[in-house]
Amino acid sequence: MADNARAKRLADLIREVVAQKLQRGIKDPRLGTHVTITDTRVTGDLREATVFYTVYGDDEERAEAAAGLESAKGVLRSAVGAAAGVKFTPTLTFVADALPDNARTIEDLLDKARASDAEVRQASAGAAFAGDADPYKKPEDDAAEDETDGDA
């Protein structure tokens, strides 16, 4: 079992090597310049690496990029093995990163909350307080109450 620091260094190296190879070494038109490697994780035994990627484009381009990455898996693994110099080169698994979709969902929810806040702000623009403007008792109010109680 390798230590976490070694797994982290290997994951960083894999991310860099795969990104450079996609940019300069692989001539697959399905991959182009719209594929971005976002993260890499390596198992504790350094046998398997998961490479997370995003694709700028529509669903068809995402499917083409996934197919391109699967077909280039052997070349990318060879490049990682040459750069890493480890006894066993990890197998690569490519997973589409869900981060952009999650970010889009969060932005939509925040937009709804902003719209709801604007509606509440607009509805309360001309409203007045139901009671006093400051409903909390103050020490001078207690003193005034004691004075009136003493008179009665």
Side-chain angles (χ1 to χ4, degrees):
M1 184 67 96
D3 61 353
N4 287 337
R6 184 173 181 200
K8 176 71 174 141
R9 283 193 312 269
L10 183 60
D12 291 342
L13 178 72
I14 291 171
R15 187 182 72 239
E16 290 175 15
V17 168
V18 169
Q20 288 176 357
K21 193 71 173 170
L22 286 175
Q23 186 178 17
R24 296 191 184 107
I26 298 193
K27 304 297 181 196
D28 192 341
R30 296 177 292 186
L31 298 176
T33 58
H34 55 275
V35 175
T36 304
I37 304 300
T38 56
D39 193 18
T40 306
R41 296 188 186 140
V42 178
T43 58
D45 60 357
L46 307 179
R47 295 281 180 163
E48 298 176 13
T50 305
V51 180
F52 295 93
Y53 67 94
T54 59
V55 178
Y56 182 73
D58 58 1
D59 290 336
E60 182 180 330
E61 290 175 341
R62 288 184 188 111
E64 289 177 0
L69 287 169
E70 284 299 316
S71 69
K73 189 183 288 190
V75 174
L76 294 172
R77 185 173 180 215
S78 297
V80 167
V86 292
K87 187 175 186 178
F88 180 82
T89 303
T91 58
L92 302 177
T93 305
F94 292 97
V95 176
D97 199 352
L99 186 66
D101 295 331
N102 292 343
R104 192 174 309 114
T105 302
I106 290 172
E107 281 297 322
D108 291 343
L109 291 173
L110 288 174
D111 288 340
K112 287 180 185 177
R114 285 185 198 110
S116 175
D117 288 348
E119 288 176 14
V120 169
R121 196 174 305 115
Q122 186 178 10
S124 66
F129 292 106
D132 292 332
D134 189 7
Y136 299 104
K137 286 188 173 185
K138 295 184 177 92
E140 58 267 6
D141 293 341
D142 289 339
E145 238 179 64
D146 290 341
E147 288 176 11
T148 58
D149 288 342
D151 293 340

